[in-house]
């Protein structure tokens, strides 16, 4: 069927478009874009004034927990959270049980995603078997089965030698190596950013240098191998400095930042809830200078993507002593509102840049479809209500887990609808859009 | 720095009860609350000198001592304090290693709560464990040491001991020397002493000094003579043997040579300096035996005062003056 999205502000940076346009969808493809397109039998969707039509957002760093940890999340519940958060596609990390180091696991994840029929799911394979850092996983088979990148996320690739080999080998397939950058010896038993607040609360710290060492290692090896190196969930100002220098030297390095790292600081360890395990994540919330550096990197183009690092954990696992709680928070359903509120409305960036961070660049980095509204491209769209008043309610999240530090937050800007392959898979009843 | 003229401010408390239902740390307390506890402890100390060392203040109250870490001094001190106040008490020691397999701290606490205790005294290896309990329990939670965070009753008994000798806290120079990084005693003492107007110096190898420690309102140095110079009080913190494995310092011998409190080093301090240690001591590591056993040492006074201070805390959290007038 044909659908005509009429009268919204269309922001499609890949095609240099930012203005009021109509977008015509023909089944699962974009069929046209322009002013006052003829209806010609299409179902008309009136886009209210002020709403924004963008190429579908892609969250390139999520944990869907299936197979093996279905009490935290499933592919289906994670995909439901994704579309409710405005994401038409997600790339899921391989640290499941078993690890996605095998084409059968990849196929299983894709089958569950197809059953769910919501967001597109791009599995990311492991660098090493079991992510144990010893032997390479069957990377060609993973790629053939549908993996779009490799990583041992949750931990860094164990040795420089193995990371080098992975880069060389993955280079053959043109897929990036995504790295959880961290020097394990410097991290030690750290559970929070090493700074004043961790010192007061008596929490073992891990300094920003711990991450930056991993970033520097990856950049040097990317330079050596010529392969594409992507820095996951960057949080430290020293890491950003390394990325900028690497890029100046011509190294193929890209990076992503999470909404919690551009919004919160380590002050959240102490207040409003001291020792709240929902502010425990790795990398940790860092000090204000790091948070401000991330904002600056987002503003000046040094940061390529915003990714949520959606890390669901059951409340039983989080309702423990701080140092015993697992790292991570959910993020799929809060990322877009935080981005609109903290970046766009705060005047850090304009909307076209946000679309680059959430759509254009993730598609480019992973080499997947999407990221533009070009004619013939998949009809994956995110429709934003940039001025919608949003109140985050953890109990209403679609994710199976509710571990968010943003419960009760009031934010300006939200998702009105999410369209995947021409099908509206999410319509926000609060936004007042009828599709 | 010469001592200020006004010296007894902390002895005229403006409050007659504590503001919180719990004692989680000194960080949240106001100076008048600290003074109230110290003043109350003076009355409690007198009870300990009687032939019959028991008053009915906590009769009918149930206090649970929940200890996830081995402790001789603190646990004994709390138990004696509870018994002298006529509370019904029981102590539960849980080996930290078996907790991994067993039930969670939250479940243990909720099960205890179901039996209606009035207070839970918690010692736990995780920083913030008392905050967790305080959020889920109706009972008053008393922190008997949580991880590297706080050990508030230790700081209170230290302050009581100092005040007993020096008649004041404000204006005193207190040097704290040892493993600062891992010490909950340090954190509680810094909060308490700075709130009460003392001048606090901390000293240790740079590897054992917490990040941004000067933001706590103290002076930091790795030169022990600088820390000790003209000090009224020197407080030594335990050096744990396993810290060598973490490469915090090369050897106990080297630590002692650089930081160990010897009679020679004491000469830089005030003539009436007090030597304190929260225990357990490593003789010949952070403190020379001659100093530990010498005339300046008040280490056993600290232990004695611990009972009085803990009686004061229990009494005040149980309702204190209000409780007494209501009864």
């Amino acid at each position: 069927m044909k659908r005509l999205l009429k009268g919204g502000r269309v922001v499609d940076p890949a095609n240099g478009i930012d203005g009021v346009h109509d977008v015509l969808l023909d089944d699962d493809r974009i069929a046209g874009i322009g002013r006052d397109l003829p209806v010609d039998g299409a179902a008309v969707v009136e886009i209210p004034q002020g709403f924004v039509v963008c190429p579908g957002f892609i969250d390139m760093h999520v944990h869907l927990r299936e197979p093996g940890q279905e009490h935290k999340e499933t592919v289906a519940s994670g995909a439901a959270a994704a579309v409710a958060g405005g994401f038409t596609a997600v790339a899921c990390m391989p640290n499941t049980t078993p690890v996605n180091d095998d084409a059968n696991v990849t196929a299983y994840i894709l089958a569950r995603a197809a059953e769910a029929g919501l967001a597109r799911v791009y599995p990311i394979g492991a660098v090493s078997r079991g992510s144990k850092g010893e032997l390479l996983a069957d990377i060609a088979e993973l790629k053939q089965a549908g993996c779009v990148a490799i990583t041992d996320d949750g931990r860094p690739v164990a040795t420089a030698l193995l990371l080098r080999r992975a880069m060389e080998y993955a280079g053959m397939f043109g897929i990036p190596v995504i790295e959880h950058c961290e020097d394990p010896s410097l991290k030690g038993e750290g559970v929070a950013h090493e700074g004043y607040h961790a010192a007061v609360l008596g929490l073992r710290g891990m300094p920003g240098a711990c991450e930056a060492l991993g970033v520097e290692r990856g950049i040097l090896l990317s330079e050596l191998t010529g392969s594409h190196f992507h820095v996951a969930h960057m949080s430290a100002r020293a890491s950003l400095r390394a990325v900028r220098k690497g890029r100046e030297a011509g190294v193929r390095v890209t990076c992503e930042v999470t909404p919690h790292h551009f919004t919160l600081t380590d002050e959240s360890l102490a207040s409003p809830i001291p020792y709240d395990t929902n502010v425990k994540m790795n990398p940790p919330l860092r000090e204000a200078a790091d948070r401000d550096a991330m904002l600056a990197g987002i503003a000046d183009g040094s940061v390529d993507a915003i990714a949520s690092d959606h890390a669901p954990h059951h409340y039983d696992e989080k309702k423990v002593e701080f140092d015993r709680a697992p790292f991570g928070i959910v993020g799929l359903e809060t990322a877009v509102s935080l981005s609109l509120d903290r970046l766009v409305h705060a005047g850090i960036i304009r909307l076209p840049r946000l679309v680059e961070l959430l759509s254009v660049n993730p598609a480019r980095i992973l080499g997947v479809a999407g990221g533009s509204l070009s004619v013939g491209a998949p009809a994956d769209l995110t429709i934003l209500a940039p001025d919608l008043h949003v109140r985050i309610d953890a109990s209403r999240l679609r994710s199976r887990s509710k571990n968010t530090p943003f419960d009760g937050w009031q934010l300006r800007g939200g998702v009105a609808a999410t369209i995947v392959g021409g099908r509206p898979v999410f319509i926000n009843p609060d936004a007042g859009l009828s599709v | 720095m010469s001592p200020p003229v006004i010296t007894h401010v902390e002895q005229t408390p403006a409050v007659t009860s504590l503001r919180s239902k719990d004692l989680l740390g000194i960080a949240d307390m106001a100076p008048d609350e600290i003074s109230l506890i110290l003043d109350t402890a003076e009355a409690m100390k007198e009870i300990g000198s009687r032939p019959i060392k028991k008053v009915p203040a906590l009769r009918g109250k149930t206090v649970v001592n929940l200890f996830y870490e081995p402790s001789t001094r603190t646990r004994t001190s709390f138990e004696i304090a509870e018994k002298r106040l006529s509370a019904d008490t029981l102590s539960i020691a849980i080996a930290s290693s078996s907790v991994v397999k067993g039930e969670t701290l939250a479940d243990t606490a909720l099960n205890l709560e179901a039996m209606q205790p009035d207070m839970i005294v918690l010692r736990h290896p995780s920083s913030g464990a008392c905050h967790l309990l305080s959020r889920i329990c109706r009972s008053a939670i008393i922190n008997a040491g949580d991880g590297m965070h706080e050990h508030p009753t230790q700081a209170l008994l230290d302050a009581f001991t100092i005040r007993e000798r020096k008649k004041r806290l404000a204006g005193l120079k207190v040097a704290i020397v040892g493993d600062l990084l891992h010490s909950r005693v340090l954190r509680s003492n810094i909060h308490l002493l700075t709130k009460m107007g003392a001048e606090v110096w901390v000293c240790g190898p740079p590897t054992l000094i917490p990040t941004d420690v000067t933001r706590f309102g103290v002076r930091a140095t790795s030169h022990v003579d600088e820390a000790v110079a003209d000090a009224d009080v020197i407080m030594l913190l335990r050096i744990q043997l396993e810290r060598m494995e973490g490469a915090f310092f090369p050897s106990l011998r080297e630590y002692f040579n650089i930081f160990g409190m010897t009679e020679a080093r004491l000469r830089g301090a005030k003539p009436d300096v007090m030597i304190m240690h929260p225990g357990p001591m490593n003789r010949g590591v952070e403190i020379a035996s001659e100093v530990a056993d010498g005339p300046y040492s008040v280490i056993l006074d600290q232990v004695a005062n611990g009972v009085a201070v803990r009686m004061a805390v229990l009494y005040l959290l149980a309702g204190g003056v209000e409780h007494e007038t209501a009864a």
Side-chain angles (χ1 to χ4, degrees):
Chain A
M1 73 173 279
K2 287 190 179 182
R3 224 184 274 268
L4 185 64
L5 309 182
K6 209 160 177 44
R9 174 182 170 191
V10 175
V11 177
D12 178 18
N15 290 306
I17 295 171
D18 181 4
V20 176
H21 288 278
D22 299 343
V23 181
L24 181 67
L25 315 180
D26 187 358
D27 283 329
D28 61 348
R29 299 276 147 185
I30 308 277
I33 183 163
R35 290 185 205 274
D36 299 318
L37 291 183
V39 175
D40 195 21
V44 174
V45 178
E46 294 285 349
I47 307 294
Q49 202 186 351
F51 282 32
V52 177
V53 178
C54 320
F57 292 168
I58 300 167
D59 189 338
M60 62 179 295
H61 193 133
V62 306
H63 298 268
L64 297 182
R65 305 301 190 202
E66 193 179 1
Q69 299 149 31
E70 290 84 356
H71 64 294
K72 298 175 195 253
E73 194 79 287
T74 62
V75 173
S77 65
V83 296
F87 292 99
T88 57
V90 295
C92 61
M93 291 293 150
N95 60 340
T96 46
T97 318
V99 169
N100 185 13
D101 61 356
D102 180 292
N104 289 308
V105 179
T106 309
Y108 177 80
I109 294 167
L110 287 171
R112 305 301 302 209
E115 271 170 45
L118 295 166
R120 295 181 201 274
V121 174
Y122 299 115
I124 294 174
V127 163
S128 62
R129 286 187 205 176
S131 284
K132 289 197 174 113
E134 290 158 7
L135 306 169
L136 284 180
D138 291 321
I139 295 169
E141 288 180 26
L142 288 168
K143 154 87 176 162
Q144 201 166 20
C147 286
V148 296
I150 53 170
T151 184
D152 274 349
D153 184 57
R155 64 184 86 162
V157 174
T159 64
L161 178 66
L162 191 68
L163 181 58
R164 174 199 178 162
R165 296 285 185 244
M167 283 188 186
E168 287 172 331
Y169 199 78
M172 172 164 65
F173 311 108
I175 57 174
V177 176
I178 300 176
E179 175 76 332
H180 170 116
C181 296
E182 178 179 283
D183 182 288
S185 71
L186 202 53
K187 180 198 172 202
E189 301 295 308
V191 296
H193 172 64
E194 185 177 300
Y196 171 72
H197 294 286
V200 170
L201 295 172
L203 295 172
R204 287 173 202 276
M206 41 179 145
C210 162
E211 176 185 282
L213 274 171
V215 174
E216 299 272 18
R217 178 181 85 159
I219 288 171
L220 289 168
L221 294 175
S222 175
E223 186 176 30
L224 182 67
T225 60
S227 294
H228 178 185
F229 173 64
H230 179 79
V231 180
H233 42 54
M234 187 172 69
S235 65
R237 56 193 192 272
S239 303
L240 180 63
R241 195 168 65 219
V243 166
R244 283 179 179 142
K245 275 172 53 189
R247 209 171 275 166
E248 273 169 32
V251 178
R252 289 176 66 197
V253 54
T254 53
C255 63
E256 71 195 28
V257 171
T258 72
H260 46 275
H261 287 113
F262 69 62
T263 302
L264 300 173
T265 66
D266 59 349
E267 217 178 323
S268 298
L269 295 167
S271 75
I273 305 169
Y275 300 100
D276 183 2
T277 55
N278 283 336
V279 299
K280 181 178 175 183
M281 65 284 285
N282 186 17
L285 297 176
R286 300 215 183 265
E287 57 203 53
D290 292 299
R291 192 264 318 270
D292 295 346
M294 294 307 112
L295 289 171
I298 286 168
D300 72 11
S302 306
V303 172
D304 298 280
I306 292 170
S308 74
D309 193 9
H310 179 78
H313 291 293
H314 193 269
Y315 75 85
D316 279 344
E317 297 162 317
K318 281 288 198 180
K319 196 179 171 183
V320 296
E321 300 87 322
F322 192 90
D323 53 6
R324 289 170 192 252
F327 291 107
I329 61 169
V330 291
L332 274 168
E333 293 166 82
T334 49
V336 169
S337 286
L338 285 165
S339 299
L340 284 166
D341 189 288
R342 297 292 153 144
L343 301 179
V344 177
H345 293 306
I348 307 285
I349 56 170
R350 293 169 186 277
L351 261 172
R353 170 76 180 131
L354 183 67
V355 175
E356 282 176 16
L357 290 159
L358 283 167
S359 179
V360 182
N361 294 346
R364 179 175 52 82
I365 291 166
L366 297 176
V368 299
S372 85
L373 297 178
S374 305
V375 172
D380 292 1
L381 299 98
T382 300
I383 303 177
L384 299 175
D387 295 308
L388 183 70
H389 177 252
V390 172
R391 187 181 176 280
I392 309 288
D393 180 350
S395 70
R396 290 182 57 201
L397 295 178
R398 270 78 166 174
S399 171
R400 220 169 241 202
S401 295
K402 316 296 176 193
N403 50 313
T404 174
F406 300 112
D407 189 28
W409 278 44
Q410 319 246 10
L411 298 166
R412 182 175 161 204
V415 176
T418 308
I419 297 172
V420 176
R423 262 183 338 116
V425 287
F426 172 73
I427 295 160
N428 184 353
D430 300 334
L433 180 78
S434 45
V435 178
Chain B
M1 199 176 121
S2 59
V5 183
I6 305 164
T7 54
H8 287 75
V9 176
E10 69 269 16
Q11 294 195 350
T12 52
V15 288
T16 54
S17 64
L18 300 177
R19 293 183 182 91
S20 167
K21 83 169 173 72
D22 307 308
L23 179 64
L24 302 180
I26 304 293
D28 310 319
M29 298 187 92
D32 58 357
E33 293 177 289
I34 294 166
S35 295
L36 174 66
I37 294 173
L38 299 182
D39 291 349
T40 309
E42 282 179 18
M44 294 298 172
K45 186 164 184 179
E46 186 271 325
I47 294 169
S49 63
R50 295 178 193 171
I52 296 173
K53 302 175 177 59
K54 207 172 183 79
V55 292
L58 292 192
R59 199 169 55 197
K61 300 277 182 189
T62 307
V63 184
V64 177
N65 302 309
L66 184 56
F67 276 62
Y68 283 83
E69 269 184 352
S71 155
T72 313
R73 212 175 326 263
T74 305
R75 198 174 120 190
T76 312
S77 181
F78 266 108
E79 284 183 16
I80 292 175
E82 289 150 8
K83 289 182 198 313
R84 287 192 180 162
L85 292 172
S86 307
D88 298 316
T89 72
L90 76 153
S91 294
I92 305 169
I94 301 175
S96 194
S97 56
S98 70
V99 178
V100 181
K101 288 182 230 153
E103 68 183 350
T104 62
L105 173 63
D107 278 340
T108 302
L110 289 173
N111 277 280
L112 289 173
E113 273 271 292
M115 294 179 253
Q116 310 282 331
D118 297 281
M119 296 188 221
I120 297 174
V121 178
L122 178 68
R123 155 75 59 103
H124 197 281
S126 294
S127 300
C130 298
H131 283 79
L132 174 67
L133 245 58
S134 137
R135 280 200 287 277
I136 60 177
C137 290
R138 178 198 47 80
S139 317
I141 307 299
I142 299 176
N143 185 354
D146 65 323
M148 309 188 300
H149 174 230
E150 282 222 41
H151 191 355
T153 57
Q154 178 70 45
L156 287 162
L157 75 88
D158 290 343
F160 184 88
T161 307
I162 297 170
R163 210 177 73 160
E164 200 172 45
R165 290 273 174 119
K166 305 282 183 192
K167 309 298 173 204
R168 65 191 170 97
L169 295 169
L172 296 178
K173 176 175 176 179
V174 182
I176 308 178
V177 185
D179 179 353
L180 312 169
L181 182 64
H182 302 95
S183 176
R184 52 194 174 212
V185 174
L186 173 86
R187 286 168 177 79
S188 286
N189 261 303
I190 287 181
H191 291 309
L192 192 150
L193 293 167
T194 54
K195 279 171 199 275
M196 302 310 277
E199 179 196 348
V200 181
W201 284 70
V202 298
C203 176
T207 48
L208 290 172
I209 297 181
T211 321
D212 282 346
V213 76
T214 51
R215 274 182 71 186
F216 288 70
V218 302
R219 304 280 298 271
T221 178
S222 289
H223 302 288
V224 71
D225 293 335
E226 189 186 11
V228 165
D230 294 319
D232 298 283
V233 179
I234 299 171
M235 213 177 263
L236 301 162
L237 298 174
R238 178 178 167 78
I239 292 294
Q240 288 178 354
L241 308 179
E242 60 266 29
R243 300 297 174 219
M244 274 193 302
E245 286 150 34
F248 290 101
F249 55 88
S251 68
L252 296 177
R253 188 173 57 87
E254 181 154 316
Y255 181 88
F256 182 73
N257 287 340
I258 301 177
F259 297 100
M261 197 50 59
T262 57
E263 285 184 327
R265 288 208 165 104
L266 276 188
R267 285 186 207 118
K270 292 249 176 75
D272 60 345
V273 67
M274 297 168 67
I275 298 293
M276 307 179 79
H277 195 302
M281 268 188 290
N282 287 314
R283 290 166 179 267
V285 181
E286 67 266 9
I287 187 166
S289 283
E290 304 81 72
V291 174
D293 303 328
Y296 306 109
S297 169
V298 295
I299 294 169
L300 293 175
D301 295 359
Q302 290 173 269
V303 178
N305 290 335
V307 175
V309 163
R310 290 178 176 118
M311 286 171 76
V313 167
L314 290 159
Y315 170 77
L316 290 168
L317 286 178
V321 178
E322 284 165 38
H323 162 85
E324 209 166 44
T325 46

